[in-house]
Amino acid sequence: MKYDNEIKRICIYGTGGVGGFFGGKMANKSEIFKELEIYFIARGDHLHKIQETGLILNTVQQKEIICKPTDALENYNEIPAPDLILICIKGYDLDAAVDKISGNIKNDTIIIPLLNGVDIYNRIRKKLQTGIILPACVYVGTYIEKPGVVTQTGGEGKIIMGKDPNYPLFVPSSIIDLFNNLNIDHEWVGDSFPAIWEKYIFIAPFGLVSAAYDKSLGELMANSKLKEQIQKIMEEIISIAAFEGVKLKETIIEESLEKANNFPYETTTSYHKDIEKGKKNEGDLFGGTIIRLGKKYNIPTPVTEKLDAIIQNKL
């Protein structure tokens, strides 16, 4: 097994908002770095538009960047085994995606999952015995504006990543050099699990309370009872994190609550929007994960269970 891998072939598995942002930046730069092969996995009208004209990426710095990958297709197994895979999908699609990846991967393929959740690494590793999985989290606000067009609405556009616990001797110089060359904002932290849990302790409580009570972030922060429920869910998550061996900052609750004040009053969470519209949602990412890990470690999670029940009754 090599521990510092040359990266020439890259797959963006899921070229939606997040995948389109990072994959688009890579594909745009690949016109300079001719040796790179960039493959987009997408579907539907979005895929067809990318195949016809390329992906149009609008960032906060630059508009209408034309990004043409080596190829864009729906079937992952039609591409050569990649050196690097960015998994950019929703949690409910993860198991099926990993099953597909498992049949077309090299021993030293680097996999960076860019989806929310504190158990993503374990879920992938449970199914995938090969490959180097770098636990990661991402800070970027993006969406598919229309087929073939991805627009950034905010966020740093940054990937925070760390070592695969199964490969502690892995040297990250190849991925760091690649991201530097392609202008991908990133941070290598060695142990990325505290950063992953820090993001989760913000998105999960606000997602649950906003979806349960149909409130915006501003409305939640203005309501002392709802704000108290958010804080109690944060406390439940901190207790679970301790059993997972993740130490969070003592000020994490105060800092997480303060983050909500940085958003416009009317901002709603994506989980709230999906529940409101009756769309397929990431309930397992929010209530499901907290309740499941709470039972695993015999940690009471009454507030999460109450809100999860309210949300499930809406479906």
Side-chain angles (χ1 to χ4, degrees), residues 11-20 41-43 74 85-101 111-117 120 123-124 138 280 282 285:
C11 172
I12 309 299
Y13 196 107
T15 316
V18 172
I41 304 299
R43 57 193 176 194
E74 184 169 357
I85 304 173
L86 300 189
I87 302 180
C88 309
I89 55 177
K90 295 288 189 180
Y92 47 70
D93 287 330
L94 181 62
D95 290 347
V98 176
D99 285 340
K100 291 178 182 177
I101 288 169
I111 301 165
I112 305 180
L114 300 181
L115 57 162
N116 291 321
I120 302 303
R123 286 175 60 189
I124 298 174
V138 61
K280 192 173 185 179
E282 293 189 285
L285 164 67

Side-chain angles (χ1 to χ4, degrees), residues 27-47:
N28 181 255
K29 285 286 187 178
S30 67
E31 296 179 5
I32 300 172
F33 299 96
K34 301 291 187 182
E35 72 279 7
L36 290 178
E37 299 174 25
I38 315 286
Y39 296 91
F40 288 176
I41 304 299
R43 57 193 176 194
D45 292 341
H46 187 54
L47 169 62

Side-chain angles (χ1 to χ4, degrees), residues 50-65:
I50 294 171
Q51 290 171 330
E52 289 173 9
T53 59
L55 176 75
I56 306 300
L57 175 62
N58 298 311
T59 71
V60 293
Q61 293 89 12
Q62 188 178 353
K63 306 301 179 187
E64 297 189 356
I65 306 169

Side-chain angles (χ1 to χ4, degrees), residues 99-288:
D99 285 340
K100 291 178 182 177
I101 288 169
S102 65
N104 184 23
I105 192 175
K106 300 185 295 184
N107 287 335
D108 58 358
T109 294
I110 299 170
I111 301 165
I112 305 180
L114 300 181
L115 57 162
N116 291 321
V118 291
D119 61 347
I120 302 303
Y121 172 85
N122 290 334
R123 286 175 60 189
I124 298 174
R125 184 52 82 197
K126 185 177 180 180
K127 284 178 165 283
L128 214 57
Q129 303 307 311
T130 190
I132 299 167
I133 305 166
L134 305 183
C137 64
V138 61
Y139 285 91
V140 67
T142 50
Y143 71 109
I144 298 176
E145 183 174 331
K146 60 183 180 180
V149 180
V150 167
T151 296
Q152 180 187 12
T153 56
E156 301 172 72
K158 183 176 184 178
I159 297 171
I160 300 175
M161 57 187 175
K163 287 186 177 180
D164 182 339
N166 278 22
Y167 294 98
L169 299 181
F170 172 73
V171 178
S173 56
S174 60
I175 190 73
I176 290 172
D177 289 345
L178 177 78
F179 283 176
N180 284 336
N181 288 335
L182 299 182
N183 197 29
I184 303 297
D185 192 7
H186 65 280
E187 182 179 357
W188 177 265
V189 293
D191 180 7
S192 56
F193 287 106
I196 292 169
W197 280 81
E198 182 176 320
K199 181 178 180 182
Y200 186 75
I201 205 172
F202 173 75
I203 64 169
F206 277 99
L208 282 164
V209 182
S210 66
Y213 297 111
D214 296 319
K215 301 293 184 183
S216 70
L217 294 190
E219 289 172 322
L220 295 180
M221 293 300 288
N223 187 312
S224 59
K225 290 185 178 180
L226 296 183
K227 188 176 177 181
E228 183 181 2
Q229 290 192 55
I230 292 169
Q231 183 169 335
K232 288 187 178 300
I233 298 172
M234 290 179 177
E235 291 169 356
E236 293 174 359
I237 295 171
I238 289 171
S239 297
I240 293 169
F243 275 86
E244 287 272 305
V246 177
K247 184 173 176 56
L248 297 167
K249 295 182 289 186
E250 292 184 1
T251 56
I252 188 65
I253 290 179
E254 292 81 1
E255 291 179 15
S256 298
L257 289 171
E258 182 58 32
K259 282 181 185 178
N261 291 323
N262 296 326
F263 290 85
Y265 185 91
E266 66 279 3
T267 301
T268 58
T269 67
S270 59
Y271 184 40
H272 177 197
K273 291 174 184 173
D274 289 344
I275 296 296
E276 196 174 38
K277 295 177 182 177
K279 294 172 62 177
K280 192 173 185 179
N281 66 80
E282 293 189 285
D284 187 68
L285 164 67
F286 297 97

